[in-house]
Each structure stands twice: as C-alpha cells, then as structure tokens.
Amino acid sequence: MSEKTIASNDYQLSQLRVLESESVHIIREVAAEMERPCLLFSGGKDSAVMLHIAAKAFAPAKIPFPVMHVDTGHNFPEVLEFRDAEVERFGVQLIVASVPEAIERGMVREEPNGSRNRIQTPVLLEACEKHRFTALFGGARRDEERARAKERIFSFRDEFGQWDPKNQRPELWNLYNGRIHTGESIRVFPLSNWTELDIWHYIGEENVQLPSIYYAHEREVFLRDGMLMANNEFCRPREGEETFTAMVRYRTVGDATLTAAVRSDATTVEAIIEEVGATRQTERGATRGDDRATEAAMEDRKKEGYF
C-alpha cells in the first residue's frame, strides 16, 4: 500500500502512524485527565479501530475504562456477535444502554416510522448520568458529513448532555481543554482527522477484526428511496417494493431500519480500498437514511445530545 510519509530529520512516520500516534495521545490524555471516561462501541469499523488503538495505548495493561453500546434492538445479528466477541477478546466491561428496555418502562416511545434512531439520544444521556461518565469517546470523523466536519476533538457538553455551538472551545495544536463543572461532560473524537480510506488502510495493516457484513456477500434486498435495504425482521418491503438477491456490503453499521447496503464484489480489505478510492459519495450519504431526513438532521441530533 502506498502512503505519504512525514519526515523529521532521519526519523520518518507514515501517515497512518502519525494518525495512530495522535489518537493514542488523545486517548491517554483523556484517561489521565478525566475521572470517568467510556468508549462508545457500536461494532462498526470506526469503533473497532478505536478499541484497537485504545488497547495499544495501554498495552500490556488492559483498557482502563468500559465500553458502551446504545442498543436500539434493531441490530444486524452479525454485529451483535462481533460486539460480544470483541468485548471478551479485549477483556473490557460492556455496558448496554437498551432502547427496548427504555420503551418498556415508558421513558421513550416508538416513532411512527418505526425507526429508533432519534430515541437513542435520551437513552444515551440517561446511561451517561447513571454511570456518571465525564467523557465519552466517539468514532466520528470529519470527512463523514458537515455536522461532524466542524466538530472539535474535545467537544463540550452541558449539564443536560447537549451541545451548544456558541460554546465551542478553540483547540490549538494538540492542546485540549477537558475542564468541566459538575454534571458537565465532554465527547472525544480520536479519529477526527482520519478519512474512510485511512480507516481501511489501517484495518488492513493492523488486521483489525470487523463484522462480516463489511465484506461483499449475497443478501436479499429491495430498493427504497434509491438505497438497497436488507429484507429482515426489522425492515420489510412495502407495497410495490420487490425483493431480489444481490452482492452487497455495508460501508457503515447502524439501525437496520435505516442503514443501507451498497452493491459490491469487494470481499477483501484490498478490494474495498480500491472501491472506496474510486467512489465520489461519502459512506453516510450513500447508506444512511437518517442523514437524508433533512439537510441539518445530524446537526439537530448533535444539539440534542447525540454523538
């Protein structure tokens, strides 16, 4: 794989090692500075890379904070199997913030469209308050979409877990401000400066494990709003939507009611790198129905306390 190199006298680091070093620095900084950090782990490729880097940051010791999955109950089964296997492999504590459980006790209500994406936010915020987390690591990257592009690496959240765009803190070089008052918290994004291609190069170089749905496979799908939705118990075709079998893979992992597949023959990391390098559409623009709701969908969810 070809990589740009950054030279400093006779010592050279590849672009991937520079990105990895920055992420390790951020994770260690938070672990040293914040009282109760936690890593959000969905089983997607970005959180898998983040967990891998966290393990390297503290090796040979174990990762000194838990991971949390906000479980909508609409997950791809391959992703849940992967989540549980990774938690066992790394020996970390898994906290599950369950949306179905929150619905059952009346904390949140199902939305008319059947999606549980928006009602994840109060469940996430409740779990943060319950466990008194002061910092949450998230896998957002700036190249994903516009709301994430302007996000800070250390992003302040008020006592209600919400983001105020007027209260963003400047970040100069690698100086991060983690000072908070009681009840406040920060979101931390160690992969902010990575691109989707960087992530795949790193997955290949480090042999990072992923759920099988990231690689091309045959699946029963149907077309909805120009996206290939999988036919499963959470997402059934409506009248006029015909199912068919196609070779597909997923570029992101999320709620099965909103996350679409893309046509692909890429069964290896090398083939995916070639495919991603040639595409002109971002992974979220190509596969996430929630980001198509409005121009400012992610911005609105960010203000409410999501990601």
Side-chain angles (χ1 to χ4, degrees), residues 17-75:
R17 293 306 151 198
V18 170
L19 290 169
E20 181 193 57
S21 296
E22 180 188 58
S23 300
V24 166
H25 167 67
I26 293 165
I27 290 170
R28 286 176 176 167
E29 183 76 9
V30 171
E33 190 174 350
M34 308 303 294
E35 188 177 354
R36 295 180 67 83
C38 177
L39 187 149
L40 295 174
F41 184 62
S42 66
K45 66 182 185 308
D46 299 310
S47 58
V49 165
M50 205 163 48
L51 189 62
H52 180 88
I53 294 174
K56 292 185 76 170
F58 302 105
K62 289 186 176 181
I63 297 170
F65 41 75
V67 301
M68 180 164 68
H69 180 211
V70 182
D71 181 357
T72 65
H74 290 167
N75 303 287

Side-chain angles (χ1 to χ4, degrees), residues 189-207:
F189 304 106
L191 306 180
S192 280
N193 293 328
W194 296 55
T195 66
E196 184 183 10
L197 263 182
D198 292 327
I199 292 291
W200 278 108
H201 277 293
Y202 190 76
I203 288 167
E205 195 166 291
E206 291 283 310
N207 193 27

Side-chain angles (χ1 to χ4, degrees), residues 189-232:
F189 304 106
L191 306 180
S192 280
N193 293 328
W194 296 55
T195 66
E196 184 183 10
L197 263 182
D198 292 327
I199 292 291
W200 278 108
H201 277 293
Y202 190 76
I203 288 167
E205 195 166 291
E206 291 283 310
N207 193 27
V208 177
Q209 300 301 300
L210 293 181
S212 58
I213 65 173
Y214 275 107
Y215 300 97
H217 56 284
E218 282 196 340
R219 207 174 191 101
E220 188 178 34
V221 295
F222 58 91
L223 269 173
R224 175 175 294 168
D225 299 329
M227 296 190 297
L228 285 174
M229 306 302 297
N231 181 22
N232 56 48

Side-chain angles (χ1 to χ4, degrees), residues 106-120:
M107 178 197 173
V108 292
R109 290 192 298 181
E110 293 268 20
E111 298 210 327
N113 63 4
S115 168
R116 294 176 175 174
N117 230 22
R118 290 191 67 87
I119 57 177
Q120 288 181 91

Side-chain angles (χ1 to χ4, degrees), residues 130-148:
K130 176 183 176 183
H131 295 282
R132 296 182 290 111
F133 291 134
T134 52
L136 289 180
F137 293 105
R141 307 187 324 266
R142 289 189 173 121
D143 73 326
E144 291 183 80
E145 54 81 52
R146 66 189 67 184
R148 298 174 189 239

Side-chain angles (χ1 to χ4, degrees), residues 1-280:
M1 301 173 192
S2 64
E3 295 176 11
K4 290 185 288 185
T5 57
I6 295 176
S8 175
N9 298 324
D10 294 330
Y11 183 65
Q12 293 187 347
L13 287 177
S14 71
Q15 178 180 334
L16 282 187
R17 293 306 151 198
V18 170
L19 290 169
E20 181 193 57
S21 296
E22 180 188 58
S23 300
V24 166
H25 167 67
I26 293 165
I27 290 170
R28 286 176 176 167
E29 183 76 9
V30 171
E33 190 174 350
M34 308 303 294
E35 188 177 354
R36 295 180 67 83
C38 177
L39 187 149
L40 295 174
F41 184 62
S42 66
K45 66 182 185 308
D46 299 310
S47 58
V49 165
M50 205 163 48
L51 189 62
H52 180 88
I53 294 174
K56 292 185 76 170
F58 302 105
K62 289 186 176 181
I63 297 170
F65 41 75
V67 301
M68 180 164 68
H69 180 211
V70 182
D71 181 357
T72 65
H74 290 167
N75 303 287
F76 293 97
E78 300 97 320
V79 177
L80 287 184
E81 290 172 13
F82 171 77
R83 178 198 71 182
D84 294 341
E86 287 294 273
V87 165
E88 184 174 350
R89 185 164 73 96
F90 284 104
V92 291
Q93 179 192 0
L94 171 66
I95 294 169
V96 177
S98 172
V99 174
E101 187 271 336
I103 293 172
E104 191 174 324
R105 59 188 167 86
M107 178 197 173
V108 292
R109 290 192 298 181
E110 293 268 20
E111 298 210 327
N113 63 4
S115 168
R116 294 176 175 174
N117 230 22
R118 290 191 67 87
I119 57 177
Q120 288 181 91
T121 301
V123 178
L124 167 66
L125 296 180
E126 182 190 54
C128 290
E129 185 177 0
K130 176 183 176 183
H131 295 282
R132 296 182 290 111
F133 291 134
T134 52
L136 289 180
F137 293 105
R141 307 187 324 266
R142 289 189 173 121
D143 73 326
E144 291 183 80
E145 54 81 52
R146 66 189 67 184
R148 298 174 189 239
K150 57 187 177 185
E151 181 61 285
R152 301 290 195 268
I153 290 176
F154 274 36
S155 185
F156 175 76
R157 297 293 184 270
D158 65 19
E159 64 271 32
F160 305 106
Q162 296 173 338
W163 176 76
D164 179 359
K166 297 177 183 175
N167 204 16
Q168 288 212 86
R169 296 170 173 179
E171 287 180 346
L172 303 176
W173 306 289
N174 60 351
L175 301 177
Y176 306 114
N177 186 348
R179 294 176 184 173
I180 56 172
H181 297 293
T182 301
E184 298 172 343
S185 62
I186 58 168
R187 302 292 171 87
V188 186
F189 304 106
L191 306 180
S192 280
N193 293 328
W194 296 55
T195 66
E196 184 183 10
L197 263 182
D198 292 327
I199 292 291
W200 278 108
H201 277 293
Y202 190 76
I203 288 167
E205 195 166 291
E206 291 283 310
N207 193 27
V208 177
Q209 300 301 300
L210 293 181
S212 58
I213 65 173
Y214 275 107
Y215 300 97
H217 56 284
E218 282 196 340
R219 207 174 191 101
E220 188 178 34
V221 295
F222 58 91
L223 269 173
R224 175 175 294 168
D225 299 329
M227 296 190 297
L228 285 174
M229 306 302 297
N231 181 22
N232 56 48
E233 62 179 305
F234 310 118
C235 189
R236 297 296 188 196
R238 299 168 185 158
E239 187 176 349
E241 295 176 336
E242 300 290 334
T243 61
F244 55 96
T245 301
M247 279 289 284
V248 299
R249 72 174 191 87
Y250 285 82
R251 290 178 69 183
T252 66
V253 162
D255 190 305
T257 63
L258 289 169
T259 306
V262 294
R263 291 183 187 274
S264 174
D265 294 318
T267 57
T268 65
V269 173
E270 290 75 17
I272 291 172
I273 288 171
E274 188 174 342
E275 185 180 272
V276 171
T279 187
R280 306 299 297 172

